[in-house]
Amino acid sequence: MPLMSLPLIPATPAGPAPARRALLTRRVRLLVAAAITYNVIEAVVALGAGTVASSTALIGFGLDSVIEVASATAVAWQFAGPDPQARERVALRVIAVSFFALAAYVTVEAVRALLGGAEAAHSPVGLVLAGLSVIVMPVLSAAQRRAGRELGSRSAVADSKQTLLCTYLSVVLLVGLALNGLFGWSWADPVAALVIAVVAVREGRDAWRGDTCCATCGPVGPQA
């Protein structure tokens, strides 16, 4: 059959319809605001409890919350502009750097703990905080990831991974504090924290490359 006689197939517009895109953009903004609010509270509680108990794990967890606030703020800044896509690359860079900073801090503190750092006291406040974060963070992460993927936003998906990483750290903290309190196994938390550091480096690398979204996501920012 000659090429010109083939039936024309109407082009399907890429991404969600304008009304759906506006709804998803508002949803991402709300989820980011919720993540920032929770992480600010989490940081204050964890840093305070960690200082009282001399817990490196709790202090590290609090600093992780500060890093997550920076990541979520980058996404909030992106979606506050009239053209979020144009700000995507900068937001991804901020998220990637926050992952690398988290990995560096966790690694240093874990090695210090393994080499004979000060033993932490039992912290009921830390246990409650870690348990609550294990419940809250996966819900926020899943909601933001779904909206980000449908919207085609790599930065929103990258930030949802940052939130999910907080879940892993919450589990590490919960197990570490529990084992230390019950059995005196002070090595459990830093060993698990080193695994989290490896995951953080991988996620930071993916965010830097823009490799954080599903196949439907388009290119990051303006292309040459």
Side-chain angles (χ1 to χ4, degrees):
M1 179 181 293
L3 183 61
M4 296 300 294
S5 62
L6 290 173
L8 295 177
I9 301 176
T12 302
R20 179 63 177 172
R21 178 172 291 276
L23 174 64
L24 291 170
T25 298
R26 289 194 298 271
R27 185 175 300 171
V28 168
R29 287 173 179 167
L30 289 173
L31 290 170
V32 168
I36 290 175
T37 301
Y38 183 84
N39 277 291
V40 168
I41 297 172
E42 186 179 69
V44 172
V45 175
L47 290 173
T51 301
V52 170
S54 298
S55 171
T56 301
L58 264 173
I59 292 174
F61 187 73
L63 291 177
D64 165 69
S65 299
V66 174
I67 292 173
E68 287 195 49
V69 170
S71 173
T73 301
V75 177
W77 167 79
Q78 177 194 346
F79 282 90
D83 183 13
Q85 195 70 17
R87 295 181 171 186
E88 180 117 82
R89 188 177 297 276
V90 175
L92 280 170
R93 292 294 189 261
V94 172
I95 292 170
V97 170
S98 70
F99 270 122
F100 295 144
L102 171 59
Y105 177 81
V106 168
T107 299
V108 170
E109 292 303 315
V111 171
R112 285 179 58 186
L114 288 171
L115 292 179
E119 293 187 4
H122 179 59
S123 177
V125 174
L127 285 170
V128 172
L129 178 65
L132 184 61
S133 295
V134 169
I135 297 172
V136 172
M137 287 303 177
V139 176
L140 283 175
S141 175
Q144 187 174 350
R145 185 166 59 253
R146 284 195 301 269
R149 283 179 173 173
E150 186 176 352
L151 192 59
S153 170
R154 285 185 170 91
S155 62
V157 175
D159 187 59
S160 76
K161 289 187 175 184
Q162 178 78 292
T163 304
L164 187 60
L165 183 62
C166 181
T167 304
Y168 302 150
L169 285 174
S170 301
V171 173
V172 168
L173 178 65
L174 185 61
V175 172
L177 292 177
L179 291 179
N180 186 37
L182 293 173
F183 307 109
W185 294 353
S186 58
W187 52 265
D189 179 65
V191 168
L194 288 174
V195 177
I196 296 300
V198 172
V199 175
V201 169
R202 187 191 66 185
E203 298 297 349
R205 179 199 62 194
D206 290 346
W208 188 271
R209 294 175 176 176
D211 185 20
T212 59
C213 200
C214 56
T216 58
C217 292
V220 181
Q223 302 296 307

